[in-house]
Amino acid sequence: RLLWAITHIFWTKEWLKVLWSDEVTFLVGGRSAKERVTRKRGERTHPTCIQHQFHRGGTIPVNAWGAIGYGYKSPLIFVHGSGKKGAFTQKDYLSQVLSRIQPILEAFAEVTHRLNPCVEPLFMEDGNSAHGHKSSRNCCARYRTEHGIILMPHPSTSPDMNPIEKCWRRIKQALHRRRHQPTTAAEMEIMVLEEWDRIPQDWINELVLKQEYWVTVLMERHG
């Protein structure tokens, strides 16, 4: 993490060319768990520091994939795992996400080219094993190579350095505040789509612009 911060410490406008992606799981049913709070001193009851979670017992998972960038928000894609206990596999990621990524990257490239015609977008994926980063021979790695998809290097186990995580938190908080809670996977998908569409692009842009600050913080804390 520290080496990654050192490598990107002088990035400013470069953050505008990164398309940040991630998967997320929403749970239907179950009872509310204890609120987990990530905060600074004096922010104990601040609403933006509260992350609502649910017990997994008796719940139905609804998995989604999305991507954000400066001036851009992708369509939300609901994904389904075919692995053991519904795990998301490399074949699932290839067929449900990567096979549909070209028009998303092209749409984001139009945005980045308006800002800087000479800049090509970078695609960011985390270290999820379904993304196939551990070898160059798996189906996902071959697809990225064949289609010229340029990846943004990202440190492993670092959701704090991926701005889309804050979008997922915003959606979960909005769902928790709803008077009517979803009781089926179909209802959850509808509500998640509504909250995804409500996320302002200006707010996303601010998240991207703040990456420069978070890299500085990462340096100060030695990774």
Side-chain angles (χ1 to χ4, degrees), residues 101-126:
I101 200 68
Q102 286 300 124
I104 292 174
L105 286 172
E106 290 171 3
F108 180 60
E110 291 182 8
V111 176
T112 58
H113 288 164
R114 285 198 295 269
L115 298 171
N116 189 337
C118 300
V119 170
E120 291 301 322
L122 299 176
F123 181 48
M124 176 270 156
E125 297 172 328
D126 63 17

Side-chain angles (χ1 to χ4, degrees), residues 137-154:
R137 299 179 180 179
N138 61 73
C139 58
C140 295
R142 291 199 305 269
Y143 184 92
R144 285 190 292 263
T145 301
E146 291 170 1
H147 292 80
I149 298 174
I150 306 172
L151 288 180
M152 159 76 176
H154 196 260

Side-chain angles (χ1 to χ4, degrees), residues 32-121:
S32 294
K34 187 176 181 180
E35 294 171 352
R36 176 178 294 178
V37 181
T38 302
R39 60 182 174 83
K40 297 179 182 178
R41 186 182 298 275
E43 292 184 338
R44 179 183 293 273
T45 59
H46 197 282
T48 61
C49 296
I50 298 174
Q51 173 67 69
H52 303 285
Q53 296 184 327
F54 296 91
H55 290 297
R56 288 186 177 272
T59 58
I60 303 171
V62 174
N63 303 306
W65 176 95
I68 61 169
Y70 189 86
Y72 181 78
K73 178 172 59 175
S74 79
L76 199 65
I77 300 175
F78 290 100
V79 295
H80 307 279
S82 62
K84 188 176 181 181
K85 295 183 179 180
F88 201 48
T89 67
Q90 291 177 2
K91 290 184 178 179
D92 295 329
Y93 185 64
L94 175 61
S95 63
Q96 299 177 47
V97 177
L98 280 183
S99 62
R100 302 163 66 179
I101 200 68
Q102 286 300 124
I104 292 174
L105 286 172
E106 290 171 3
F108 180 60
E110 291 182 8
V111 176
T112 58
H113 288 164
R114 285 198 295 269
L115 298 171
N116 189 337
C118 300
V119 170
E120 291 301 322

Side-chain angles (χ1 to χ4, degrees), residues 177-196:
R177 290 192 295 268
R178 288 197 175 207
R179 176 172 296 182
H180 172 70
Q181 294 295 309
T183 57
T184 65
E187 282 188 2
M188 176 64 85
E189 289 186 4
I190 293 172
M191 292 184 183
V192 169
L193 276 174
E194 290 175 351
E195 298 300 338
W196 176 253

